[in-house]
Amino acid sequence: MVLLLSESMLCAAPREQSAFAALKLIPASEGRRLARVFAFGAAPYPERWHFLVHAPEAATGLREYVVEGDEVAEPSDVSQYAQSLTKEDVIGRKAVKIDSDRIFETANRYALANGVQVASMNYTLHREGDAGLPVWRVDCLDADGSRAGSLVMTAGRGRVLSHEGFAIEPPSSTREKKVKSNDKEKLETEAQPQVAVNGNAEETGGPEDKPTESAGSSERSNETNSRQTARRPGAGERNAVRSVPRPVRRILRRVLPF
């Protein structure tokens, strides 16, 4: 029977271990060297989680922990999911902010928006591309085990990078809107003009951007200043007028140019 995973199924599904809950069962020192994660047949939780960590002391460079429920199997230096691991493959537990609950929720919304019937999902965490970006990949499977669609999400912020098989994007959830808003605010902040420091102008323009006076305008300004200075009496002349008796001072003011 084909199942379309709805919101009601999220509540009805039996509670098992999410990726983060299962990861807590392996040693913390190994979690810091986490490189890859695999899980299969999740609806929404898988029967077991496979955690691959970088183990430089091992011949293969890896160690695999298998967690089923609350039980952790004896770790192995070989895995069917990777032949070897290097230091460059390490992601680390702290770099993974998105749990499998969030992955299932997002993939389920895409399936519902596109009318795709999903029976289970496979989860994979690894580094992808030339930049080695840590990403979650979730493959949505139908009742026959065939892949109906896939999502690739960043492991840090849960941003959907691709949604193969799901042409219609569902409305953004409140959490996704907040992430997009934070990304936009960050981009707008980074786009602001840089403020010059260390003696330069406070804005983008420097002192060299200020207009300079031409030689002609400078001469006209000097000539105007000279004429204004010639019309104004000096301080000594004004004091001389004030020192004479008031009746004489009135006569002098009438005949003198100042």
Side-chain angles (χ1 to χ4, degrees):
M1 179 178 179
V2 177
L3 298 177
L4 180 62
L5 300 177
S6 62
E7 296 296 333
S8 60
M9 290 186 60
L10 293 178
C11 300
R15 177 72 181 181
E16 296 180 21
Q17 295 281 21
S18 70
F20 284 5
L23 187 56
K24 290 180 180 179
L25 299 178
I26 73 173
S29 59
E30 297 288 73
R32 288 192 289 269
R33 297 186 293 181
L34 180 68
R36 294 179 187 174
V37 178
F38 298 91
F40 306 93
Y45 302 103
E47 291 185 3
R48 61 185 63 87
W49 288 96
H50 300 263
F51 299 105
L52 276 61
V53 303
H54 175 50
E57 68 278 6
T60 56
L62 67 82
R63 183 173 298 113
E64 180 182 22
Y65 289 86
V66 180
V67 179
E68 184 173 355
D70 293 327
E71 302 295 328
V72 182
E74 187 69 22
S76 173
D77 291 350
V78 295
S79 172
Q80 61 179 314
Y81 306 113
Q83 294 182 348
S84 63
L85 290 176
T86 66
K87 185 177 180 181
E88 285 69 30
D89 296 315
V90 174
I91 297 173
R93 167 65 181 84
K94 291 185 177 181
V96 184
K97 308 295 184 183
I98 305 302
D99 200 355
S100 56
D101 293 338
R102 169 83 174 277
I103 301 169
F104 177 83
E105 174 191 340
T106 303
N108 189 56
R109 289 194 298 104
Y110 272 83
L112 290 172
N114 288 269
V116 176
Q117 294 181 326
V118 176
S120 63
M121 301 182 187
N122 296 339
Y123 304 136
T124 304
L125 173 72
H126 66 286
R127 288 191 179 276
E128 185 174 273
D130 295 337
L133 180 68
V135 298
W136 278 107
R137 177 186 175 90
V138 52
D139 293 317
C140 300
L141 310 178
D142 59 21
D144 297 328
S146 300
R147 185 164 60 89
S150 300
L151 289 182
V152 176
M153 303 169 55
T154 59
R157 299 181 65 85
R159 183 163 56 92
V160 176
L161 300 177
S162 65
H163 43 91
E164 181 183 352
F166 300 128
I168 302 174
E169 294 188 34
S172 299
S173 65
T174 303
R175 179 163 38 194
E176 289 174 334
K177 288 179 180 178
K178 183 177 180 181
V179 170
K180 291 179 180 179
S181 176
N182 292 339
D183 289 342
K184 181 180 179 181
E185 182 179 352
K186 181 179 179 181
L187 290 174
E188 289 177 348
T189 302
E190 292 176 349
Q192 294 297 323
Q194 298 296 318
V195 178
V197 294
N198 297 331
N200 293 331
E202 292 183 354
E203 298 181 354
T204 53
E208 63 277 6
D209 297 326
K210 296 180 180 179
T212 56
E213 295 181 348
S214 63
S217 62
S218 178
E219 292 176 356
R220 288 193 297 271
S221 176
N222 293 337
E223 182 179 354
T224 301
N225 292 338
S226 298
R227 291 175 180 175
Q228 292 175 348
T229 302
R231 288 197 298 267
R232 291 196 300 268
E237 295 171 334
R238 291 195 298 270
N239 292 337
V241 173
R242 292 194 182 102
S243 62
V244 299
R246 181 172 297 178
V248 178
R249 191 188 314 167
R250 291 176 182 172
I251 298 173
L252 291 176
R253 286 188 182 279
R254 294 175 183 175
V255 297
L256 293 177
F258 52 87

